[in-house]
């Protein structure tokens, strides 16, 4: 297997959900404090030499220029601080920038995270803000929102491959079940297929329980050059593959909307970089912003062949206890989706899994993990591969 690109030595994540009475900056500090408390050998003000923050929108709190603000609240001024925006992949892309920083040799120990405080706005306004990540003249102007865009992918997938509403519902049932085992999850109640199928239609075939919720939350990881990892922990997790790809901003410009090209391309590159095959992944966190997105992720990541994603969830392969558990955290569906926080929250879950700290949702003996983060209608795709440190 390939040499590590960087190492994760600690991680922290807030409870996700409607977090009233706090600002995004406070959520970020809460996540960072958890990571700092878990890493007593780290002295944040002395050791951290860079901050990377993923955040999608200024509109929720009317606050731009968030990188220095968060550095200040963390007490790590004057370290260089960067903010990345890539819609729901904002912190997945922050991780990529942090990797560049470490690989360049200009940074040794960086804090990488993401945050979003979405519930300040009502659902209609959140829908409009999120919609800014789609094409303005040809999508936003015509009134289509992200549930509608993913509904188009779902109907095309159903027509081409026979994927069913029940299979979509099973993704939600699985992820809600995993959410009951995650005390930080937005939703911690199990649901049935009947609950999903009878829930109100948002954009057919996607119903309430096919959608990720509107959440507040933050997450972060402490990332170091591999040679420094042991200074901070005996149990590092190494990042061994990382790739990113882009597609058109508008879904309408694509020849085939049943396949997630950015994930397929990024996965191929990341597998090659790491010297890892899809079959070797022990645990994965994928971007289930809508249930169809998880099925399309299975296919693009090579967990099954194109069109067979529904079968994987039918057969329980991706359930906890199955051959390839996916979204043990509850995924975006149940853990929640504070969009800027999602990419690094996925990395936090894989860190917990590979260091055997995932509690009731632990995948026994997990050694190799994967995260797949997507922005917009899969206009940005990031795939990262992780290995338990030896
Ligand atoms: N899944 C399950 N339950 C949900 C939910 C979801 N996604 N969203 C809301 N609920 C629950 C609430 O907890 C509440 O339950 P309660 O009555 O027991 O308290 C109830 O449904 C009503 O919640 P409300 O906030 O009024 O729903 P809403 O109609 O305003 O919003 C959606 C529902 C699906 C429209 C909203 O969650 C949404 O837009 N999700 C997609 C977000 C998105 O696009 N993210 C980016 C992806 S690219």
């Amino acid at each position: 297997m390939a040499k590590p690109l960087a190492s994760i030595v600690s991680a922290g994540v807030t409870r996700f959900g409607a977090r009233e009475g706090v600002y995004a900056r406070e959520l970020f500090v809460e996540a960072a404090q958890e990571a700092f408390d878990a890493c007593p050998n780290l002295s944040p003000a002395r050791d951290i030499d860079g901050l990377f923050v993923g955040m999608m929108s200024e509109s929720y709190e009317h606050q731009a220029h968030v990188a220095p603000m968060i550095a200040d609240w963390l007490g790590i001024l004057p370290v260089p601080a960067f903010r990345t925006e890539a819609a729901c992949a904002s912190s997945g892309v922050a991780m990529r920038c942090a990797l560049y920083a470490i690989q360049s040799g200009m940074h040794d120990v960086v804090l990488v995270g993401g945050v979003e405080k979405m519930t300040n706005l009502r659902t209609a306004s959140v829908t409009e803000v999120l919609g800014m990540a789609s094409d303005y003249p040809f999508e936003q102007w015509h009134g289509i929102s992200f549930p509608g865009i993913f509904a188009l992918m779902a109907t095309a997938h159903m027509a081409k491959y026979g994927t069913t509403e029940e299979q979509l519902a099973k993704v939600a049932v699985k992820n809600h079940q995993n959410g009951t085992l995650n005390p930080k999850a937005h939703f911690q109640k199990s649901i049935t297929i009947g609950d999903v199928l009878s829930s109100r239609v948002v954009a057919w075939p996607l119903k309430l329980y096919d959608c990720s919720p509107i959440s507040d939350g933050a997450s972060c990881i402490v990332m170091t050059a591999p040679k420094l990892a042991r200074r901070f922990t005996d149990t590092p997790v190494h990042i061994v593959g990382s790739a990113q790809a882009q597609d058109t901003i508008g879904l309408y410009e694509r020849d085939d909307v049943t396949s997630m090209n950015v994930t397929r391309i990024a996965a191929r590159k990341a597998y090659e970089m790491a010297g890892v095959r899809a079959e070797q992944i022990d645990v994965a966190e994928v971007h289930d912003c809508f249930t169809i997105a998880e099925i399309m992720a299975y296919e693009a990541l090579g967990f099954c062949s194109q069109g067979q994603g529904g079968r994987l969830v039918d057969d329980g392969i991706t359930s906890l206890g199955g051959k390839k558990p996916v979204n043990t955290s509850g995924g975006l569906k149940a853990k929640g989706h504070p969009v800027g926080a999602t990419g690094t929250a996925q990395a936090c879950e894989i860190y917990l899994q590979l260091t055997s700290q995932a509690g009731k949702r632990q995948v026994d003996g997990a050694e190799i993990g994967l995260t797949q983060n997507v922005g917009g209608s899969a206009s940005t795709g990031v795939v990262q591969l992780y290995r338990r440190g030896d």
Side-chain angles (χ1 to χ4, degrees):
M1 204 177 294
K3 284 209 299 218
L5 302 167
S7 306
I8 303 176
V9 298
S10 195
V13 59
T14 67
R15 185 172 55 74
F16 282 7
R19 298 288 310 270
E20 280 171 31
V22 285
Y23 283 100
R25 62 192 80 175
E26 293 170 283
L27 288 170
F28 198 97
V29 169
E30 186 182 319
Q33 196 57 53
E34 185 176 270
F36 298 159
D37 289 347
C39 192
N41 292 348
L42 177 83
S43 164
R46 186 192 62 210
D47 296 322
I48 292 174
D49 60 17
L51 170 69
F52 295 82
V53 180
M55 194 184 94
M56 183 205 171
S57 181
E58 294 87 359
S59 299
Y60 299 115
E61 286 188 337
H62 207 267
Q63 179 68 65
H65 213 180
V66 298
M69 176 188 78
I70 289 177
D72 181 15
W73 276 67
L74 289 168
I76 60 171
L77 292 176
V79 298
F82 308 84
R83 178 255 178 121
T84 53
E85 187 280 305
C88 306
S90 291
S91 57
V93 169
M95 279 182 71
R96 300 259 316 143
C97 294
L99 281 172
Y100 292 144
I102 284 178
Q103 283 282 303
S104 75
M106 292 183 77
H107 289 263
D108 291 324
V109 181
V110 298
L111 187 67
V112 195
V115 64
E116 213 78 54
K117 177 77 181 79
M118 304 173 77
T119 65
N120 290 347
L121 301 182
R122 292 171 175 277
T123 299
S125 304
V126 172
T127 302
E128 190 177 348
V129 171
L130 289 170
M132 289 182 197
S134 65
D135 184 85
Y136 181 59
F138 294 108
E139 289 177 338
Q140 296 174 46
W141 256 84
H142 288 79
I144 192 162
S145 59
F146 274 108
I149 286 172
F150 278 84
L152 289 176
M153 298 185 204
T155 48
H157 206 276
M158 289 162 82
K160 190 164 177 185
Y161 299 113
T163 302
T164 64
E165 284 182 77
E166 285 76 10
Q167 288 171 330
L168 298 179
K170 284 179 186 173
V171 172
V173 170
K174 168 181 78 66
N175 292 348
H176 268 262
Q177 181 55 36
N178 293 346
T180 67
L181 307 176
N182 182 356
K184 305 269 185 77
H186 188 148
F187 297 123
Q188 299 177 33
K189 67 164 192 184
S190 54
I191 54 170
T192 64
I193 295 177
D195 291 332
V196 185
L197 294 178
S198 61
S199 63
R200 75 185 131 98
V201 172
V202 175
W204 191 89
L206 304 177
K207 295 163 281 290
L208 179 70
Y209 282 113
D210 289 292
C211 304
S212 58
I214 294 165
S215 317
D216 307 325
S219 60
C220 63
I221 56 176
V222 180
M223 196 193 273
T224 73
K227 63 174 189 294
L228 299 178
R230 297 275 167 187
R231 189 187 292 175
F232 299 105
T233 179
D234 294 332
T235 54
V237 166
H238 301 308
I239 300 175
V240 288
S242 173
Q244 179 178 333
Q246 315 298 149
D247 206 340
T248 58
I249 182 86
L251 186 74
Y252 71 95
E253 294 176 282
R254 312 226 183 116
D255 292 338
D256 180 7
V257 299
T258 63
S259 166
M260 218 170 251
N261 281 328
V262 287
T263 296
R264 189 175 305 283
I265 293 164
R268 196 176 56 225
K269 285 189 183 165
Y271 287 142
E272 203 177 292
M273 188 182 280
V276 165
R277 285 173 286 110
E279 305 83 71
Q280 292 175 279
I281 306 298
D282 297 315
V283 57
E285 288 284 302
V286 309
H287 197 94
D288 58 326
C289 51
F290 299 95
T291 48
I292 183 63
E294 177 160 328
I295 285 178
M296 289 170 72
Y298 297 159
E299 297 168 2
L301 292 168
F303 292 176
C304 61
S305 53
Q306 181 64 30
Q308 297 303 303
R311 293 267 298 277
L312 224 56
V313 72
D314 267 343
D315 295 344
I317 307 280
T318 53
S319 301
L320 202 51
K323 256 182 18 205
K324 197 175 287 296
V326 172
N327 284 335
T328 53
S329 67
L332 284 53
K333 172 71 268 276
K335 180 187 57 187
H337 187 24
V339 291
T342 285
T344 35
Q346 294 177 322
C348 289
E349 177 69 7
I350 295 299
Y351 174 80
L352 291 179
Q353 287 287 352
L354 300 190
T355 52
S356 303
Q357 298 183 74
K360 290 182 179 158
R361 55 188 199 279
Q362 181 65 46
V363 174
D364 288 339
E367 293 205 346
I368 300 179
L370 175 150
T371 56
Q372 177 250 3
N373 189 200
V374 158
S377 55
S379 308
T380 293
V382 178
V383 174
Q384 327 245 25
L385 291 163
Y386 310 75
R387 171 167 62 79
R388 180 200 279 260
D390 347 274

